[in-house]
Amino acid sequence: MAQMTMVQAITDALRTELKNDENVLVYGEDVGQNGGVFRVTEGLQKEFGEDRVFDTPLAESGIGGMSLGLALQGYRPVPEIQFFGFVYETMDAINGQIARLRYRSGGTQSAPVTIRSPFGGGVHTPELHSDSLEGLIAQQPGIKVVIPSTPHDAKGLLIASIRDNDPVLFLEHLKLYRSFREEVPEEEYTIELGKADVKREGKDVTIISYGAMVHASLKAAEELEKNDIDAEVIDLRTVSPIDIDTIIESVQKTNRVVFVQEAQRQAGLASHVISEIQERAILHLEAPILRVTAPDTVYAFPQAEDLWLPDHKDIVEKVNQVINF
Amino acid sequence: MKHVLDSVESQFEMFQILNEDGKIVNKDALPDLSDDDLKELMRRMVYTRILDQRSIALNRQGRLGFYAPTAGQEASQLGSQFALEKEDFILPGYRDVPQLIWHGLPLYQAFLFSRGHFHGNQFPEGVNALSPQIIIGAQYTQTAGVALGIKKRGKKAVAVTYTGDGGTSQGDFYEGINFAGAFGAPAIFFVQNNYFAISVPVEKQSAAKTLAQKSVAAGIPGIQVDGMDVLAVYAVTKDARERAINGEGPTLIETLTYRYGPHTMAGDDPTRYRTDDLDNEWEKKDPIVRFRKYLEGKKLWSEEEENKVIEEAKEEIKKAIKKADEYPKQKVTDLISNMFEELPANLQEQMEEYKEKESK
């Protein structure tokens, strides 16, 4: 075991897979000699050579299209989109092309592509760097969407994503890159995609979350405990497909749910998850399911982030509403 | 500045070997093709013209679905494909079904593609190609990737793609040729300029006087070729392929061509935007007429041979349509099972639902 930040755990996963499988290729804008704008690919080009880890021209659509092409030649591409706000440039390549390749070829071709991209607020980035756009890709059939919240999860989920023979979008929250360290096994391991994780067991209310909001939810759970409210915190880890079984099991135990996301109320995953719960467990609910989200405006100007982003206080407030319904 | 434009445009004069009368006008550039090769090229062009006529008729009868007419573009489509090898990878646009057929896609599958059946896209092992791309430009960036993959694998092969004149306005068009250039990847990019993108003439796409000169922006060679001249298209493709497999990078080839029919069979009416004069002018440039004259002059082609090809084509088309008719209908469970290698929980659940429905 070693103490690692999430950035280190991701680098470690990339190194593991570059070593394991010669078809793995890592590329994007500044990921080579520079080691990535967040040092995620630090040292990888030096270790594995320019043939495996390389820079590309500055064009997200080209990176996306090139990924499908490399997959057609038997490679296992792991491209990076520098910030996920830039996904609009490559929406066709991801949703229109990569996600559909297996289906449109009647199962004869596939695109084992893992697109890595940072996102997320709280670090005062300039415009269109922090937007939470996972909801856009989660609506596209044919691609999985993974969002880790801890170094341990990040390593196991990234190795599993790269080994998956279908496309995966792997979103890395900027604020979680170096915010804390955790014990991470040095050897390789995988975490099954599509499986949620109960980060805190509780019996009074289920808080479902992902990304940075998992930590806000855990902090809220500590506060709530002071008032004898025992919250169960579920980290979705994979937001498409979602782990219905783990969610429903928890709802049946606690009978109350608050869904927490950093994305705006009209975006993200909240609506989808809540629909699934009401279809499958309405008779177990003692109260309506409430949502903690950002407001339905464009992502905040940096100085307004603290006011705009949801935090643990918002979660405590909603949980109290659900408990006292 | 005007001077700069003039000097750029002068670099992209149309390359031609065979003129409208079927006479060789560029003897030095004549490609090295045997008599059998020349006859096979003619056979394919005639066959494809018949395929187009029959496809339009079958579409009107409701026995085919989506269809983008190809008549007029035989030299551009087949002259280029003829210069390829089996290991070369084709990324076609929606009008480029003929290249797939001559690259090995069975005809009945091409018909299933037209109708909208997944089996049409289940290419046989060894047919190195993607199914026709509907998103104009996407095939270009993908080609850069396939070509880079070929280069990394150390294969002596190329990735080949096609778009139209309108497609050169897309961002992916530029990104594709620029990526291939930056990586020195073995790619051949075709622009089949038939002067219209549905109803919009090429002059409204760009102020550039040629489309071939767009290669300059990527720093790669570009050439404009008479797309109604099968020998010229073959020769430039062969040359681009040679340079690509020798590690000299990609080429952009603009073929000047024409579609005699509508844009697609989905209600487009070319008389709304094209004049009879223009159509007549291009009828005179017909690639089949001109190549027939050339081959007849060499005593390599006769009416009898041509009729044989026509009958053979009609017969094979009839059989292929029948085979397409007989192919099992699609089920939702088929569509679900083609989504992922391993079905995620939501699809497993929906699979059970539809299995139940289909069993009733």
Side-chain angles (χ1 to χ4, degrees), chain B residues 139-163:
Chain B
Q139 70 271 37
Y140 259 58
T141 52
Q142 293 168 5
T143 295
V146 173
L148 180 59
I150 287 171
K151 181 181 176 177
K152 284 180 174 294
R153 294 283 183 217
K155 292 193 229 173
K156 289 279 181 206
V158 293
V160 182
T161 191
Y162 298 83
T163 191

Side-chain angles (χ1 to χ4, degrees), chain A residues 258-310:
Chain A
V258 169
F259 191 94
V260 184
Q261 67 182 21
E262 183 173 316
Q264 294 88 337
R265 195 172 166 91
Q266 69 186 60
L269 267 297
S271 305
H272 173 55
V273 174
I274 292 168
S275 295
E276 292 288 350
I277 297 170
Q278 77 82 19
E279 274 191 35
R280 292 163 197 271
I282 196 161
L283 295 179
H284 293 276
L285 290 174
E286 296 284 352
I289 302 168
L290 297 186
R291 286 174 280 178
V292 175
T293 72
D296 287 332
T297 71
V298 168
Y299 189 90
F301 286 100
Q303 290 200 338
E305 261 187 335
D306 292 346
L307 304 170
W308 189 85
L309 285 168

Side-chain angles (χ1 to χ4, degrees), chain B residues 329-344:
Chain B
K329 285 194 168 60
Q330 300 169 102
K331 299 194 294 281
V332 175
T333 48
D334 297 327
L335 306 183
I336 291 176
S337 59
N338 287 338
M339 284 300 302
F340 290 97
E341 183 180 56
E342 283 179 52
L343 290 185

Side-chain angles (χ1 to χ4, degrees), chain B residues 187-203:
Chain B
I188 307 177
F189 296 98
F190 280 95
V191 173
Q192 300 190 89
N193 179 3
N194 61 24
Y195 296 88
F196 287 90
I198 307 188
S199 66
V200 179
V202 67
E203 296 76 29

Side-chain angles (χ1 to χ4, degrees), chain A residues 23 25 51 54-57 59 61-63 65-66 68-70 72-75 92 97 101-109 141-144 165-166 241 280, chain B residues 89 91 118 121-123 129-133 135 138 141-142 144-146 148-150 152-153 155 172 175 178-179 182-183 335 338-342 344 346 349:
Chain A
N23 290 317
L25 301 175
D51 201 37
F54 53 93
D55 291 319
T56 66
S61 189
I63 292 170
M66 185 170 88
L68 187 138
L70 285 166
L72 288 170
Q73 289 297 312
Y75 285 101
D92 175 59
Q97 306 290 331
L101 181 63
R102 186 184 289 277
Y103 173 88
R104 78 187 286 261
S105 67
T108 57
Q109 290 161 331
I143 182 166
K144 301 182 183 99
N165 285 331
D166 287 298
R280 292 163 197 271
Chain B
F89 199 104
L91 295 97
F118 70 83
N121 290 355
Q122 288 179 321
F123 289 8
L130 267 186
S131 50
Q133 179 59 249
I135 302 302
T141 52
Q142 293 168 5
V146 173
L148 180 59
I150 287 171
K152 284 180 174 294
R153 294 283 183 217
K155 292 193 229 173
D172 272 2
E175 290 185 28
N178 187 57
F179 268 58
F183 288 110
L335 306 183
N338 287 338
M339 284 300 302
F340 290 97
E341 183 180 56
E342 283 179 52
N346 56 329
E349 197 177 287

